[in-house]
Amino acid sequence: MSSEVETRCRSDCFSTSLEANGEVVASLPKVALIAGPTASGKSALALALAERTGGTIVNADSAQVYRDLRTVTARPPAEEEARAPHRLFGHVDGGDTGYSAARWAAEARGTIDAAVAAGSLPILVGGTGLYLRTLIDGIAPVPPIDPAIRAEVRAMAVGDAYAALREADPAQAALLNPADTTRIARALEVVRSTGRSIAEWRRERVGGIGDRIALTALILLPPRDWLYERIDRRFAAMVDAGAMAEVAALIAREDVPLDAPIRRAIGLPELAAAALGTLTVEEAITRASLATRQYAKRQYTWFRNQPPADWQRSDATATDELLAQIESRLKAD
């Protein structure tokens, strides 16, 4: 980092709080957050902000943690990663089935602390709401689940699991879609293993960093037509850039279980079908683009409605305009 950028960051990377008499009572490290749906321009903005401030980019995308699928998950290319520090990108092997939001949040806390200690602005960037919520608000301190109970629950058909949940935890069951295999299994294994509803555990969140940082958030919500057209172009470009080879290498691995989280990456099932010959590449691109648009729609709705009101929303699409917006907020906060 240049001496000019380093000086600016060391002086601007903390936010002070004042008592009524004007005396400084706290100095909180600034953290920038760039969030929004896939293909909304987050990576380009994060890189521009990092280069302007000497910042450190911290991944908050659950798919981009895996090293196996750089192209399919739209991870920043190596040449962009060389222009600014990038952390928590591609550091997890696809065969690691135990990676979770809690593990990512623990790594992110350490990464943010290291960046602050080095005088570098941490820049969180990603579209995984669960990751961001876990890091900022904390996580429910659910004890480890009894392995025998987990195995029993995960072996149940979803209908049987839902019936069991309605009996063991009717309030939680009423909140879930009867076909939501993952959430039903989680709620059932928690109540059976701990004797308490998962809702009770969630009221006891621990480990959040929201009260010890000065967060400046910008949520990118560009026009939907612009976003969907960009998704279609980007997915076709991914295939041209070698996405099929990545997918073929992954599905050939015998140490990556069929239920491994990496296999749920958006677009991977369709490209895997093409690699196995059950779809043409053109059919796979069409279906994968549709799946990505549907995922982006869910993200769009979540980011528009769920985060706090003081997280700024922007419908801008130009990186320069977005950069000016977040820099202005960083200076004001």
Side-chain angles (χ1 to χ4, degrees):
M1 140 183 0
S2 71
S3 59
E4 179 182 355
V5 169
E6 183 174 6
T7 299
R8 181 169 67 244
C9 187
R10 287 189 181 277
S11 62
D12 291 347
C13 285
F14 287 84
S15 175
T16 56
S17 299
L18 304 178
E19 289 183 331
N21 62 8
E23 293 184 3
V24 175
V25 295
S27 182
L28 299 177
K30 290 185 178 182
V31 175
L33 168 60
I34 299 168
T38 187
S40 57
K42 300 183 298 294
S43 295
L45 175 58
L47 181 59
L49 182 61
E51 291 185 317
R52 182 70 64 90
T53 63
T56 297
I57 300 172
V58 184
N59 172 47
D61 184 298
S62 62
Q64 292 184 358
V65 301
Y66 295 104
R67 69 173 59 96
D68 306 73
L69 299 176
R70 179 191 288 272
T71 304
V72 174
T73 63
R75 219 168 80 211
E79 55 268 25
E80 289 187 8
E81 291 186 338
R83 288 166 55 184
H86 284 66
R87 304 288 183 260
L88 306 187
F89 288 88
H91 68 300
V92 180
D93 184 77
D96 186 344
T97 60
Y99 200 78
S100 64
R103 189 165 140 197
W104 173 84
E107 294 174 346
R109 286 193 297 269
T111 300
I112 288 169
D113 289 344
V116 170
S120 178
L121 173 70
I123 304 168
L124 285 162
V125 57
T128 303
L130 177 60
Y131 274 23
L132 297 173
R133 187 169 56 192
T134 301
L135 175 65
I136 295 167
D137 298 333
I139 192 167
V142 180
I145 301 300
D146 183 309
I149 290 176
R150 169 162 288 172
E152 180 183 2
V153 168
R154 298 301 169 98
M156 297 172 71
V158 64
D160 294 338
Y162 187 69
L165 182 63
R166 288 183 63 183
E167 183 174 336
D169 187 355
Q172 186 64 25
L175 298 175
L176 300 179
N177 183 326
D180 192 334
T181 304
T182 301
R183 288 183 173 85
I184 290 170
R186 177 60 176 166
L188 182 58
E189 70 182 16
V190 167
V191 72
R192 283 188 171 181
S193 185
T194 70
R196 296 176 61 190
S197 169
I198 194 171
E200 293 181 37
W201 288 109
R202 285 173 175 166
R203 288 193 285 270
E204 301 177 18
R205 292 185 174 273
V206 297
I209 66 170
D211 61 352
R212 66 177 181 88
I213 62 171
L215 184 69
T216 297
L218 181 64
I219 301 176
L220 310 191
L221 295 174
R224 290 178 188 260
D225 289 346
W226 180 91
L227 182 67
Y228 296 161
E229 191 273 336
R230 183 178 166 94
I231 285 171
D232 290 346
R233 282 191 292 108
R234 191 174 75 170
F235 210 94
M238 285 179 183
V239 172
D240 292 340
M244 290 298 301
E246 284 185 351
V247 171
L250 180 71
I251 64 176
R253 289 181 54 178
E254 297 181 354
D255 61 333
V256 180
L258 293 178
D259 62 349
I262 193 172
R263 290 184 180 269
R264 296 197 293 270
I266 301 300
L268 188 143
E270 294 80 8
L271 294 182
L276 294 171
T278 58
L279 287 178
T280 67
V281 173
E282 291 74 18
E283 289 171 335
I285 291 174
T286 298
R287 295 188 187 187
S289 295
L290 175 59
T292 306
R293 291 196 300 272
Q294 292 170 336
Y295 175 61
K297 182 179 180 180
R298 295 193 298 272
Q299 288 181 300
Y300 203 108
T301 300
W302 194 92
F303 280 112
R304 184 178 58 191
N305 298 317
Q306 295 300 320
D310 62 349
W311 287 22
Q312 181 180 352
R313 279 77 166 165
S314 177
D315 62 0
T317 58
T319 300
D320 288 348
E321 183 178 352
L322 291 165
L323 180 60
Q325 290 177 4
I326 196 167
E327 283 193 305
S328 176
R329 287 291 304 273
L330 280 165
K331 291 175 182 176
D333 290 345

